[in-house]
Tab-separated table of all heavy atoms in Angstrom:
chain	number	residue	atom	x	y	z
A	67	VAL	N	10.687	24.213	-2.919
A	67	VAL	CA	11.046	25.621	-3.071
A	67	VAL	C	12.081	25.639	-4.179
A	67	VAL	O	13.072	24.917	-4.144
A	67	VAL	CB	11.583	26.211	-1.734
A	67	VAL	CG1	12.025	27.677	-2.010
A	67	VAL	CG2	10.558	26.079	-0.680
A	68	LEU	N	11.875	26.512	-5.114
A	68	LEU	CA	12.655	26.619	-6.368
A	68	LEU	C	13.516	27.880	-6.330
A	68	LEU	O	13.009	28.963	-5.960
A	68	LEU	CB	11.810	26.627	-7.667
A	68	LEU	CG	10.791	25.493	-7.848
A	68	LEU	CD1	10.016	25.783	-9.144
A	68	LEU	CD2	11.618	24.178	-8.017
A	69	ASP	N	14.784	27.726	-6.662
A	69	ASP	CA	15.679	28.784	-6.950
A	69	ASP	C	16.448	28.506	-8.289
A	69	ASP	O	17.530	28.023	-8.262
A	69	ASP	CB	16.675	29.023	-5.812
A	69	ASP	CG	17.482	30.235	-5.988
A	69	ASP	OD1	17.206	31.155	-6.982
A	69	ASP	OD2	18.559	30.380	-5.300
A	70	PRO	N	15.750	28.679	-9.385
A	70	PRO	CA	16.265	28.210	-10.700
A	70	PRO	C	17.417	29.134	-11.138
A	70	PRO	O	17.382	30.348	-10.774
A	70	PRO	CB	15.054	28.282	-11.644
A	70	PRO	CG	14.122	29.210	-11.032
A	70	PRO	CD	14.366	29.114	-9.573
A	71	GLY	N	18.331	28.611	-11.857
A	71	GLY	CA	19.461	29.319	-12.395
A	71	GLY	C	19.146	30.097	-13.643
A	71	GLY	O	19.925	31.009	-14.088
A	72	SER	N	18.034	29.758	-14.363
A	72	SER	CA	17.749	30.499	-15.622
A	72	SER	C	16.173	30.370	-15.873
A	72	SER	O	15.468	29.626	-15.176
A	72	SER	CB	18.379	29.735	-16.796
A	72	SER	OG	17.819	28.382	-17.001
A	73	ILE	N	15.751	31.185	-16.781
A	73	ILE	CA	14.332	31.176	-17.128
A	73	ILE	C	13.927	29.916	-17.731
A	73	ILE	O	12.782	29.402	-17.394
A	73	ILE	CB	13.978	32.366	-18.029
A	73	ILE	CG1	14.192	33.713	-17.287
A	73	ILE	CG2	12.648	32.290	-18.645
A	73	ILE	CD1	14.066	34.963	-18.135
A	74	ASP	N	14.738	29.277	-18.475
A	74	ASP	CA	14.419	28.011	-19.024
A	74	ASP	C	14.243	26.904	-17.989
A	74	ASP	O	13.401	26.056	-18.074
A	74	ASP	CB	15.471	27.525	-20.114
A	74	ASP	CG	15.510	28.411	-21.328
A	74	ASP	OD1	14.442	29.036	-21.647
A	74	ASP	OD2	16.503	28.442	-22.086
A	75	SER	N	15.129	26.909	-17.009
A	75	SER	CA	14.992	25.959	-15.936
A	75	SER	C	13.783	26.192	-15.143
A	75	SER	O	13.045	25.246	-14.781
A	75	SER	CB	16.257	26.071	-15.003
A	75	SER	OG	17.412	25.562	-15.559
A	76	ALA	N	13.501	27.458	-14.863
A	76	ALA	CA	12.230	27.783	-14.117
A	76	ALA	C	10.990	27.206	-14.848
A	76	ALA	O	10.175	26.691	-14.219
A	76	ALA	CB	12.088	29.273	-13.928
A	77	LYS	N	10.911	27.475	-16.136
A	77	LYS	CA	9.754	27.065	-16.958
A	77	LYS	C	9.685	25.520	-16.914
A	77	LYS	O	8.542	24.922	-16.751
A	77	LYS	CB	9.836	27.588	-18.337
A	77	LYS	CG	9.533	28.998	-18.520
A	77	LYS	CD	9.706	29.406	-19.930
A	77	LYS	CE	9.523	30.969	-20.102
A	77	LYS	NZ	9.704	31.405	-21.493
A	78	ALA	N	10.775	24.888	-17.116
A	78	ALA	CA	10.759	23.413	-17.125
A	78	ALA	C	10.358	22.789	-15.714
A	78	ALA	O	9.555	21.842	-15.725
A	78	ALA	CB	12.133	22.809	-17.510
A	79	LEU	N	10.894	23.378	-14.669
A	79	LEU	CA	10.519	22.882	-13.355
A	79	LEU	C	9.046	23.188	-12.979
A	79	LEU	O	8.377	22.324	-12.496
A	79	LEU	CB	11.431	23.619	-12.320
A	79	LEU	CG	12.871	23.112	-12.322
A	79	LEU	CD1	13.764	24.146	-11.491
A	79	LEU	CD2	12.998	21.716	-11.700
A	80	MET	N	8.529	24.345	-13.369
A	80	MET	CA	7.132	24.644	-13.087
A	80	MET	C	6.188	23.715	-13.887
A	80	MET	O	5.236	23.242	-13.342
A	80	MET	CB	6.827	26.121	-13.443
A	80	MET	CG	7.404	27.050	-12.386
A	80	MET	SD	6.943	28.796	-12.588
A	80	MET	CE	8.049	29.260	-13.905
A	81	ASN	N	6.561	23.396	-15.070
A	81	ASN	CA	5.751	22.501	-15.970
A	81	ASN	C	5.821	21.098	-15.319
A	81	ASN	O	4.732	20.443	-15.196
A	81	ASN	CB	6.251	22.429	-17.420
A	81	ASN	CG	5.916	23.644	-18.168
A	81	ASN	OD1	4.991	24.387	-17.823
A	81	ASN	ND2	6.671	23.915	-19.242
A	82	LEU	N	6.942	20.645	-14.864
A	82	LEU	CA	7.086	19.347	-14.333
A	82	LEU	C	6.281	19.232	-12.977
A	82	LEU	O	5.529	18.240	-12.750
A	82	LEU	CB	8.558	19.006	-13.935
A	82	LEU	CG	8.889	17.691	-13.263
A	82	LEU	CD1	8.357	16.548	-14.065
A	82	LEU	CD2	10.335	17.597	-12.972
A	83	LEU	N	6.411	20.210	-12.159
A	83	LEU	CA	5.642	20.218	-10.867
A	83	LEU	C	4.099	20.222	-11.150
A	83	LEU	O	3.397	19.514	-10.467
A	83	LEU	CB	6.056	21.387	-9.961
A	83	LEU	CG	7.491	21.320	-9.408
A	83	LEU	CD1	7.871	22.557	-8.711
A	83	LEU	CD2	7.592	20.130	-8.410
Side-chain angles (χ1 to χ4, degrees):
V67 178
L68 304 175
D69 184 14
S72 70
I73 292 173
D74 291 337
S75 290
K77 288 178 183 177
L79 289 165
M80 287 187 280
N81 287 337
L82 176 60
L83 290 171

